Amino acid sequence: MPRPLVLSNGNLMVNFDEALYMRDLYYPYVGMENHIAGHRCAIGFWDDGCFSWIHQPRWQKRLGYTEDAPVTDIRARNVDMGLALSIADAVYPFHDLYLKRIEVKNLCNHRRELRVFFYNDFYVGGSDVGNTALYDPETGGMCHYRRDYYILVNGRSARGGVAQYGVHKRRGPRGRGRLDAEDGHLEGKAIDQGSVDSSMAFVVPVEPGGHAEILFWIAAGRSLDEVRRLDALVRERGLESLMRETVAYWRSWLSSSRLKLGLLPEHLARHLKRSLLVTRSQIDNRGGILAANDTDILATNRDHYSYVWPRDGALVAYALDLAGFSGITAAFFRFAARTLTTGGYFLHKYNPDGTPGSSWHPWVKDGEPQLAIQEDETGLVLWALWHHYLRQGDFEFMASLYPSLVCPAADFLAEYRDPLTGLPAESYDLWEERRGVFTFTVAAVCAGLTAAAGIAAMVGDGRSQDTWYRAAEEIRQGLQRYLYSPRLGRFLRGLTRGAGGELVPDGTLDASLWGVFGFGVLPAEHPYVMATMQAIADGLTVKTDVGGVARYTGDYYFRHSDDISKVPGNPWFICTLWLADWYIARAHSEAELAPALELLEWCCRHSGPTGHFAEQLHPYTGEPLSVSPLTWSHATFCHVTAHYLGKLEELRAGLRLS
């Protein structure tokens, strides 16, 4: 199930699913640790013997966000219970506080004393072993803790604070705390340990046709004293005041973008702003750019996307630099410098704290050791760093990373090559499925070395500049000599090692061939690029009512059709946007921008109800597949829309000059 509502301040992140379960609570890193671990925290209502959880089908729900802010705007109605709700959720930008305001409207013609229940299904530290849940008499709230992770839950209604509470041993998939609530009365147990959950209730009097409020908050910290201080802050400052500050903060953040949103149709501008906010929500304040934080993928993979892939991070950083958010991207480059290996390359992926993430790339094959890397990741970090400097002009920042990041990474890229072809040596492809020498990787390495040579020139290191530039040129020539297929009339996906050790052409049509011009290795109108991108447009467009562009011919990941001629693979937002990027790059008039604009519109039409982009879509129904939201999808929308705006300005300026 996708995560249509995501809220974050870079330390604390909260995700909801479409049923309005709270499914993820990450702290103190975005993406690590998950203190709900994909389980379910719930809200229920009791009145005169009738009980209903808000996630149940009888509730009609409309999910959304407040305009230009990561604050929810939710409407829910239960005709059977005679209730209508207006809900706002936020994560406060300055402290690790989750805030919730529920306005209840009584649709009945008699006065009611509702009981509103909050079920807290916390797996503190990501585990249900060794947890403690307790009623805290100092704050009047419920506190869950394990080791040095503390989560304090509290709230208030017109009748005061928590009216009932209960701590329970977790039993079965529904949890004792949920079962305890459904009769409208909690047992009142004040503490327990092990695998535990808790529930709390507020009494909410509401007049006929009238309104009432419940305020609810969660404080996250590393000690009981810390969460008590945060709880006191909410009560002293007022939850409403903190909500207003949150909206103002994010609207000011968006207004600091350098993009000229007024040149876009209004709905495209809205999606761009939402994509910027969603992208920011997936970034940890210490520089880790997370791929996604939708834990439902655990059900199929037994792993998740809450990792920092240097490739994704570099491409996201590039998009945010285009938009003018250099402070965030600077933190990513510092993260990269901290995590680069002593050998000068990046590992497969990392946890948000910089430790190595899980991997399936083997370190030995046929009894021989091999580097279990995706070399494009190392090249793209250098490429993105150079573009960061070109846009921000912060020479001292770039120079500070020269010895720790640029030199070792560029030296590795220059040396890790096949002496016969001059191309990069074998590594795993960007899709993490095969090993060989791939066009996308070759383009990324060439771009990284070209960037490093530019940085070397800036700092006066002429020797390294010459070495890296010469290596980049040899790779550029090798790309055209060995990876362009005259027979196919386009670039190959790559070269793989045959049984006899020979390099075998892989002619699979792959959308990632965009990288040849996307990273500036060859211009968009180079004949080889033109032929390749036109082949992608013709051969990878999904020929159903859904449309969009597939990753490559015969893509197996979440496959829903064996009719390859019609559905070469599921449509991906990233791949569709790469095609749009080529249309933009080769355009010489506003009319020639029309195909790109249509693909940007396609993305908007196929976003979720709250504006989120998934990784991919079902080719026949258009429903989101894999994770949602995917950071790379949103960042690519930002990057391609920024390119569209830049080309539009360029074309209009040319008309004025002529």
Side-chain angles (χ1 to χ4, degrees), residues 19 38 51 65 85 91 157 179 192 286 330 364 376 391 419 507 546 612 641 644 648 657:
F51 188 94
Y65 288 105
L85 310 178
V91 169
S157 73
L179 293 170
D192 210 335
R286 284 130 296 213
V364 62
D376 64 286
R391 285 174 176 81
V546 174
H612 288 186
T641 306
Y644 175 85
L648 193 60
L657 289 173

Side-chain angles (χ1 to χ4, degrees), residues 428-483:
Y428 287 91
D429 71 336
L430 82 159
W431 306 129
E432 308 176 304
E433 295 171 348
R434 55 196 62 83
R435 187 173 175 85
V437 181
F438 300 99
T439 298
F440 181 92
T441 303
V442 170
V445 171
C446 182
L449 283 165
T450 303
I455 297 170
M458 293 296 298
V459 302
D461 184 355
R463 183 174 179 178
S464 293
Q465 177 191 356
D466 291 344
T467 299
W468 299 338
Y469 183 76
R470 185 168 57 252
E473 286 306 303
E474 290 171 359
I475 292 171
R476 196 186 321 269
Q477 292 167 19
L479 171 74
Q480 297 172 77
R481 180 178 178 183
Y482 296 104
L483 287 165

Side-chain angles (χ1 to χ4, degrees), residues 114-127:
L114 298 173
R115 298 177 194 171
V116 182
F117 290 81
F118 291 83
Y119 170 62
N120 309 308
D121 194 17
F122 296 127
Y123 287 62
V124 183
S127 171

